[in-house]
Amino acid sequence: MTKHKSIRLYCFTPAVMITTFVIETCAALYTLFRYRANLTARLITATLGSLAFFQLAEYMICEKTYLLSSLDWARLGYVAITILPPLTLHIGLRIAKRQNKPLLMAAYGSAVVFSIFFLFIGHGMQSQQCLGNYVIFSIAPYASFPYGLYYHGWLVTGILLAWHNRHKVKEPNRKKALVWLIFGYLSFMVPAIVVNIIDPATVRAIPSIMCGFAVIMALTLLFKVAPLVLEEKNSDQASSNAY
């Protein structure tokens, strides 16, 4: 008899979810109060806050469903992560002092469309289940491919733009910040892909696994990206009205 041994991802347990929520919430609050007058800081704060909220939603699904049903927490959690690709793309453009309004409108616009779909379309989010190590989500089958294309497409676009703009930026600190931003992207994308290749059964848990690893992205934004670009004197004054 052949015994199948499934991967046990103990780094995504409810205890880790709530701990990650606290870490990312503290990071968001620190960034907000430390650099609150700066648009780039607000974008970083929004990114950290969205990551934190998804962890809270997962915890509520697994442990307690206060105020809302488990399915409603899943809907809100999905909205929180849906806005992440446009936010990180926007951060990269701000660091590079580049304007690309059509691209940002397309990114944010598509995020709004999917957010409305998950929030208000009855079968948009079909079910959720806590497996103890991570949460799996089931969305409408016909939306899986478009959503995957949306999510990974904008993430890859963000990486490519950051790499491209790195060669055009003159300020050393901003060059370093773009490299760290790329590292932040890869810190949660690559491990999630590796886990999925090793165990294809985790495909429906990809959002949970990616956001579990995304605590590395949160710490990168807090300790590497923000200090490099937000502590420059008058760094964003010249472009504060650009976006």
Side-chain angles (χ1 to χ4, degrees), residues 2 28 36 86 157 192 224:
T2 302
R36 56 189 170 193
T157 299
K224 292 297 183 180

Side-chain angles (χ1 to χ4, degrees), residues 30 37 56 83 104 113 154 167 169 172 174 189 201 232 237 239:
Y30 175 82
L56 177 63
I83 197 64
L104 286 176
V113 170
W154 284 122
H167 299 288
V169 171
R174 291 182 180 271
M189 292 178 66
E232 294 178 345
Q237 286 184 356
S239 59

Side-chain angles (χ1 to χ4, degrees), residues 106-187:
Y108 282 117
S110 54
V112 169
V113 170
F114 278 109
S115 295
I116 292 173
F117 176 75
F118 292 127
L119 280 176
F120 301 112
I121 303 302
H123 57 276
M125 176 64 65
Q126 296 188 330
S127 65
Q128 72 298 316
Q129 183 181 1
C130 180
L131 299 185
N133 297 311
Y134 47 79
V135 178
I136 61 173
F137 299 89
S138 296
I139 65 175
Y142 64 83
S144 295
F145 178 76
Y147 186 69
L149 185 63
Y150 155 81
Y151 210 91
H152 292 94
W154 284 122
L155 290 179
V156 171
T157 299
I159 292 174
L160 294 177
L161 271 179
W163 183 257
H164 173 74
N165 287 331
R166 171 184 173 273
H167 299 288
K168 294 189 174 184
V169 171
K170 295 181 180 179
E171 297 96 323
N173 280 357
R174 291 182 180 271
K175 285 180 178 288
K176 292 177 183 178
L178 287 170
V179 172
W180 279 111
L181 183 64
I182 293 170
F183 169 80
Y185 273 111
L186 298 177
S187 69

